[in-house]
Amino acid sequence: MPQLMGTSLRAFAHPTELLKVKRTLLLLATLLGACAETPQSTEDWVAEHRFTDGVEGPAIDAMGNLYAVNLGRRGTIGIVRGKDREEIFAQLPAGSTGNSLRFDSDGFMLVADYTGHNILKLDPQSGELVQQFHNDRMHQPNDIAIAADGTVYASDPDWQNGSGQLWKMDADGHFTLLEADMGTTNGIELSTDGQRLYVNESVQRKVYVYDIQADGNIANKRLLMEFADHGLDGMAADAGGNLYIARYGAGEVLKIAPDGERLSSIGLKGQHPTNIALSRDGKRAFVTMQKRGNIESFTIDQTH
């Protein structure tokens, strides 16, 4: 093939040979085109700067409503009932600022309150505070994931020192330190079957996976994948076990298989995605964008 590609078509005197070469080149071009990744287009689900640059957390309730933190000002939680249909859902207590949002199996909203060092539990109808679980040993609860039995897993980065921790909180609000002396722990997610926990380290650009034991503790830590550039932020898993990673600074969401194989990269309008949530039917993704202060969205490719 190198010889063929380096040879002028004029070198072939016979028309039949020339036709063969043209067909070969056409086939090669077709194959290369089939292998090339077709960029997916995103759209603004919420307009720019409706949220502050602290926009984070996206979560979706049982009715399909989308939520994110810091709509208009810090300390709020916004609800998005459809494209460009956002309004304030809740105002957090003084001194509290949300980062990650998740809904438990009973429908209550849990909020990682990074300035107050709390996990907050809100009524899903009124937005009122129901319970507050405080942990002053946390640097700042950043992202959370909730198991079917109510166990909460929380990343806890120390950005100043480039380190972090990993916590578990049981349904009664008791905290257990699962691992210390990690990198800057950030994105966290459970596999759909609840058997594995994924945690990434933003500055170190690594994604780890653990096995979940019967008591909710973790074991068998292993490196799933790592990157040479850009940061890592929030993550979400789909029903097929694939993981979506917000690549902060890269302007993309990376979709990977459970074994770490890279399946696709979805380019975004902005360069600084902070977190991602998937619709209940798994057909659409919502990405919070820091510098743009908004939410982008794209349809999910179901072919892989």
Side-chain angles (χ1 to χ4, degrees):
M1 185 60 71
Q3 267 190 325
L4 178 62
M5 294 300 292
T7 303
S8 170
L9 293 182
R10 294 177 182 176
F12 294 90
H14 199 283
T16 302
E17 295 299 323
L18 182 59
L19 182 59
K20 288 181 179 178
V21 173
K22 286 183 176 180
R23 287 175 175 171
T24 301
L25 292 176
L26 180 60
L27 177 60
L28 178 60
T30 302
L31 291 174
L32 289 174
C35 294
E37 184 176 298
T38 303
Q40 286 187 244
S41 60
T42 66
E43 59 180 317
D44 286 351
W45 203 252
V46 176
E48 278 192 320
H49 309 304
R50 295 292 293 157
F51 287 85
T52 74
D53 61 5
V55 61
E56 256 274 16
I60 297 173
D61 67 14
M63 302 299 293
N65 297 308
L66 172 67
Y67 299 79
V69 302
N70 300 319
L71 175 61
R73 62 184 184 275
R74 298 178 72 84
T76 64
I77 296 174
I79 180 172
V80 185
R81 303 183 189 277
K83 187 176 181 181
D84 292 320
R85 294 175 54 202
E86 72 279 356
E87 61 185 82
I88 298 292
F89 167 72
Q91 174 68 57
L92 298 180
S96 293
T97 311
N99 195 77
S100 178
L101 304 174
R102 295 291 176 110
F103 286 93
D104 67 16
S105 58
D106 294 322
F108 288 96
M109 175 186 285
L110 270 67
V111 184
D113 167 19
Y114 75 94
T115 52
H117 305 273
N118 303 311
I119 303 295
L120 306 176
K121 185 176 184 179
L122 304 186
D123 184 280
Q125 302 300 320
S126 67
E128 296 294 323
L129 180 66
V130 176
Q131 284 180 288
Q132 175 176 299
F133 306 102
H134 182 72
N135 184 350
D136 57 14
R137 294 173 59 199
M138 279 185 168
H139 305 298
Q140 59 169 71
N142 192 79
D143 278 5
I144 56 176
I146 308 176
D149 64 358
T151 300
V152 177
Y153 297 92
S155 61
D156 182 23
D158 179 356
W159 291 99
Q160 184 174 355
N161 296 305
S163 62
Q165 305 178 129
L166 182 60
W167 292 89
K168 178 186 77 169
M169 185 186 83
D170 64 26
D172 295 325
H174 174 74
F175 288 90
T176 301
L177 181 61
L178 296 176
E179 188 172 349
D181 302 318
M182 299 179 68
T184 47
T185 48
N186 194 334
I188 189 168
E189 177 65 306
L190 285 159
S191 60
T192 310
D193 61 9
Q195 299 300 305
R196 296 176 304 284
L197 179 70
Y198 299 99
V199 180
N200 70 44
E201 298 175 339
S202 287
V203 175
Q204 293 75 16
R205 306 185 185 108
K206 295 180 178 181
V207 183
Y208 291 97
V209 59
Y210 303 79
D211 293 329
I212 303 292
Q213 299 179 304
D215 60 0
N217 289 327
I218 53 177
N220 193 25
K221 178 182 181 179
R222 59 244 186 227
L223 181 67
L224 182 68
M225 65 189 314
E226 58 184 321
F227 301 84
D229 56 11
H230 302 298
L232 308 179
D233 216 310
M235 303 190 294
D238 67 18
N242 302 308
L243 191 66
Y244 298 75
I245 306 174
R247 295 263 286 129
Y248 185 88
E252 69 172 0
V253 170
L254 184 65
K255 180 179 180 180
I256 65 172
D259 62 359
E261 177 191 357
R262 301 187 185 206
L263 298 177
S264 64
S265 172
I266 300 92
L268 304 165
K269 294 182 180 181
Q271 293 299 116
H272 303 89
T274 56
N275 214 328
I276 179 171
L278 308 182
S279 62
R280 291 279 173 167
D281 61 8
K283 295 181 179 180
R284 180 169 285 275
F286 303 92
V287 186
T288 50
M289 306 297 296
Q290 184 195 60
K291 300 293 179 72
R292 301 190 68 212
N294 77 326
I295 300 175
E296 292 185 31
S297 181
F298 60 87
T299 56
I300 294 175
D301 185 355
Q302 303 286 330
T303 61
H304 53 63

